[in-house]
């Protein structure tokens, strides 16, 4: 069924590439989480798929795209399965689930966070949304899948207690909006700068123990 006239689908090859890259990286990170949590093969696959595309699905629903891109394009599921298969194979052969420290998984996931948030910002800008909406949707795109993954894993979502997780996505998306709408920076350049900023903030927070104020 064709999309409604009020919500035309955006055709953007760079956006699709970034979105697919985010899917692969996040699927691998989620699969590692599933291995370390001792999920069975089906549980690992479900966790990897839901965690890798969840943010993009929520993003597209908010933008009025039906069905969301991960359900229209077979490559999203294929990449999630490929990433999961790679992690499972590595775990069986080399016990990757045992010697991969949580910090390494978090740093790897930061790449996916940067890619997904940048994709969300880019797509929202393509839809000509206002700046606040762009930032919100970019953050949801970056963090949504991780929230679902953590809930399925019976963990408190990172976004609620890991400083500079959602904050990094917010900052990067805001920077992209400012670069494009105030300084007329090209979309590809602004997206690259935003993605690097998100990754740098998240990684620096992990390595440096940065924390926002807590009540206790």
């Amino acid at each position: 069924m064709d999309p409604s006239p009020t919500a035309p689908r955006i055709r953007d090859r760079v956006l699709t590439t970034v979105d697919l890259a985010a899917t692969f990286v996040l699927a691998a990170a989620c699969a590692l989480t599933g291995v370390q949590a001792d999920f069975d093969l089906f549980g690992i696959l479900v966790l990897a798929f839901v965690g890798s595309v969840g943010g993009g699905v929520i993003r597209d629903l908010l933008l009025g795209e039906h069905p969301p891109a991960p359900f229209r394009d077979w490559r999203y599921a294929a990449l999630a399965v490929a990433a999961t298969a790679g992690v499972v194979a590595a775990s069986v052969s080399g016990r990757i689930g045992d010697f991969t420290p949580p910090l390494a998984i978090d740093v790897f996931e930061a790449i996916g966070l940067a890619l997904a948030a940048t994709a969300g910002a880019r797509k929202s800008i393509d839809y000509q949304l206002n700046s606040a909406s762009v930032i919100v949707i970019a953050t949801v795109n970056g963090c949504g899948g991780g929230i679902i993954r953590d809930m399925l894993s019976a963990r408190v979502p990172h976004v609620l207690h890991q400083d500079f997780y959602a904050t990094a996505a917010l900052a990067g998306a805001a920077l992209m909006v400012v670069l494009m709408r105030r300084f007329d920076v090209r979309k590809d350049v602004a997206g690259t700068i935003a993605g690097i900023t998100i990754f740098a903030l998240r990684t620096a927070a992990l390595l440096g123990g940065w924390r926002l104020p807590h009540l206790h």
Side-chain angles (χ1 to χ4, degrees):
M1 184 174 65
D2 293 333
S4 66
T6 58
R9 287 179 186 162
I10 298 299
R11 309 289 182 181
D12 186 332
R13 290 183 179 179
V14 174
L15 168 63
T16 300
T17 300
V18 174
D19 219 17
L20 290 171
T23 298
F24 183 83
V25 172
L26 291 173
C30 291
L32 279 168
T33 300
V35 168
Q36 294 190 328
D38 197 27
F39 283 21
D40 62 20
L41 290 176
F42 181 72
I44 294 170
L45 180 59
V46 169
L47 198 68
F49 180 73
V50 172
S52 62
V53 305
V57 169
I58 298 172
R59 171 202 66 201
D60 286 353
L61 291 175
L62 290 174
L63 291 173
E65 274 197 11
H66 306 287
F71 297 149
R72 297 196 311 269
D73 191 333
W74 62 271
R75 292 175 294 179
Y76 288 86
L79 285 171
V81 171
T84 303
V87 169
V88 170
S91 179
V92 170
S93 62
R95 303 296 295 169
I96 188 173
D98 290 339
F99 66 72
T100 305
L103 178 62
I105 297 176
D106 285 340
V107 171
F108 184 67
E109 185 185 356
I111 300 174
L113 173 68
L115 290 168
T118 302
R122 185 183 181 105
K123 194 164 191 176
S124 302
I125 289 172
D126 285 344
Y127 271 93
Q128 299 182 348
L129 298 187
N130 63 66
S131 298
S133 297
V134 170
I135 295 169
V136 169
I137 291 179
T139 304
V140 168
N141 199 160
C143 304
I147 292 174
I148 299 172
R149 173 204 62 200
D150 290 342
M151 292 174 65
L152 290 176
S153 302
R155 304 189 308 184
V156 176
H158 280 174
V159 69
L160 298 181
H161 68 94
Q162 289 284 333
D163 299 336
F164 289 92
Y165 187 81
T167 307
L170 282 165
L175 177 61
M176 185 171 176
V177 169
V178 170
L179 288 174
M180 288 186 62
R181 294 184 170 173
R182 190 159 185 89
F183 297 102
D184 295 323
V185 176
R186 287 176 45 227
K187 182 164 55 177
D188 293 342
V189 176
T192 300
I193 294 173
I196 292 172
T197 300
I198 293 170
F199 175 75
L201 284 174
R202 176 62 178 149
T203 303
L206 287 167
L207 298 177
W210 295 359
R211 292 170 61 90
L212 294 177
H214 285 233
L215 295 180
H216 297 287

